[in-house]
Amino acid sequence: MKLVFAGTPEPAVPALRALLDSGRHEVVAVVTRPDAQAGRGRRVVRSPVGALADSHGIEVLTPARAGDPAFLARLTELAPDACPVVAYGALLPQAALDIPRLGWVNLHFSLLPAWRGAAPVQAAIRAGDEITGASTFRIVKELDAGPVFGVVTETIGATDTAGGLLGRLAESGAKLLLSTMDGLADGSLVAREQPAEGLSYAPKVTVEDARVSFADPAAAVDRQIRSVSPDPGAWAEFRGERLKLGPVTVLDEPGPPPGEIVVERKRVLVGTATKPLRLGEVQAPGKKRMAATDWARGSRIEQGERLR
């Protein structure tokens, strides 16, 4: 089939690469978010998906809005059979949805209808789900509500971070998206409507969502930290400044009151509503990430000080 692929960040790259390497489909263009500033120098850079397309000599479209007339006109000229989508990052108007013969097919990193929305992987970890996965579905006007073509499942490990889990799902999801395109091409694949039960939503995670409350149970704090690692990154306040927190370890022993820090020779503990946590890596303002023990020695933490 003739395809126009839409995607932007690194997790979308495996899917585009799978389509390019398959030899069974022709990717005639890629749609991605406009080039943006990145890094300390604020250089304008291409998205990861755009950069991969450039390396293959594929036309890259970067509309400010997916409803821009010039973009819709070019998409019509390209006449794709289908438009596979992975984390494109912009809403698609009906005028765009109507152009490809077989529609726009999204790879979404959850088992729909669970965790529709922008941050399904983060939501699944934070909720304590044991199983998640990826789904391919036809895009309709309602958010992530279209009929599903296929799914793959993935176990959520006890130490999984959002970054690690998303990396695995990006790879398994790429294979799913390719098989979905194959099934659409030969007519063997039929989409099924999503069930009414099990619906949940996963809105975009903000920096404020990543602030840790040590008044919560230890297991909840652990899941919250892992769910926002590495981005936007968990944090708490220490001495009036923001301290970033890497993944922690829940300890099965008595601990200090919620938020109170206990510094030992080889470990740094923080109390919660239930069990204590052993801090892993932390990052103070203007500093590099470091072991919590190194940070504690340099900070000369006094007895009774807290993370808030």
Side-chain angles (χ1 to χ4, degrees), residues 196-213:
E197 65 276 3
L199 174 61
S200 53
Y201 288 94
K204 182 178 179 179
V205 176
T206 67
V207 171
E208 193 57 37
D209 293 330
R211 182 172 188 170
V212 175
S213 170

Side-chain angles (χ1 to χ4, degrees), residues 210 212 214 221 225-226 228-229 233-237 243-248 270 279-283 289 295 307:
V212 175
F214 291 97
V221 175
I225 292 173
R226 290 189 289 110
V228 294
S229 296
W235 62 278
E237 194 174 281
L243 181 72
K244 292 186 177 180
L245 306 171
V248 298
V270 180
L279 295 183
E281 288 189 329
V282 302
Q283 185 175 7
R289 294 180 70 88
W295 164 76
L307 293 178

Side-chain angles (χ1 to χ4, degrees), residues 51-285:
L52 179 59
D54 288 338
S55 70
H56 283 74
I58 298 171
E59 179 179 357
V60 177
L61 307 175
T62 58
R65 296 182 304 107
D68 287 350
F71 167 67
L72 294 176
R74 181 57 183 145
L75 191 61
T76 300
E77 290 174 356
L78 291 168
D81 295 302
C83 293
V85 184
V86 187
Y88 170 47
L91 295 176
L92 297 167
Q94 192 62 48
L97 296 179
D98 291 340
I99 292 174
R101 178 174 61 89
L102 297 172
W104 295 67
V105 179
N106 192 33
L107 172 64
H108 183 76
F109 297 117
S110 81
L111 299 176
L112 292 170
W115 306 127
R116 295 178 183 176
V121 173
Q122 295 92 327
I125 292 176
R126 188 164 184 166
D129 293 353
E130 296 180 352
I131 300 291
T132 188
S135 308
T136 50
F137 69 96
R138 181 178 290 117
I139 295 179
V140 296
K141 188 174 182 180
E142 186 181 350
L143 177 67
D144 298 338
V148 173
F149 291 106
V151 300
V152 291
T153 60
E154 184 77 34
T155 300
I156 301 178
T159 61
D160 269 337
T161 63
L165 179 57
L166 182 56
R168 298 204 307 274
L169 288 171
E171 295 294 338
S172 60
K175 298 175 184 177
L176 172 64
L177 185 63
L178 176 58
S179 67
T180 299
M181 293 299 106
D182 292 345
L184 287 176
D186 64 22
S188 63
L189 199 58
V190 177
R192 299 184 181 276
E193 295 297 328
Q194 295 183 31
E197 65 276 3
L199 174 61
S200 53
Y201 288 94
K204 182 178 179 179
V205 176
T206 67
V207 171
E208 193 57 37
D209 293 330
R211 182 172 188 170
V212 175
S213 170
F214 291 97
D216 292 336
V221 175
D222 169 50
R223 294 196 304 266
Q224 179 191 7
I225 292 173
R226 290 189 289 110
S227 76
V228 294
S229 296
D231 185 53
W235 62 278
E237 194 174 281
F238 178 70
R239 295 178 182 170
E241 294 187 308
R242 187 175 295 182
L243 181 72
K244 292 186 177 180
L245 306 171
V248 298
T249 302
V250 179
L251 302 177
D252 190 15
E253 61 186 67
E260 186 172 311
I261 305 168
V262 174
V263 180
E264 300 178 350
R265 191 167 68 88
K266 293 186 177 181
R267 61 182 190 171
V268 179
L269 310 184
V270 180
T272 72
T274 54
K275 301 174 181 179
L277 303 172
R278 185 177 71 219
L279 295 183
E281 288 189 329
V282 302
Q283 185 175 7

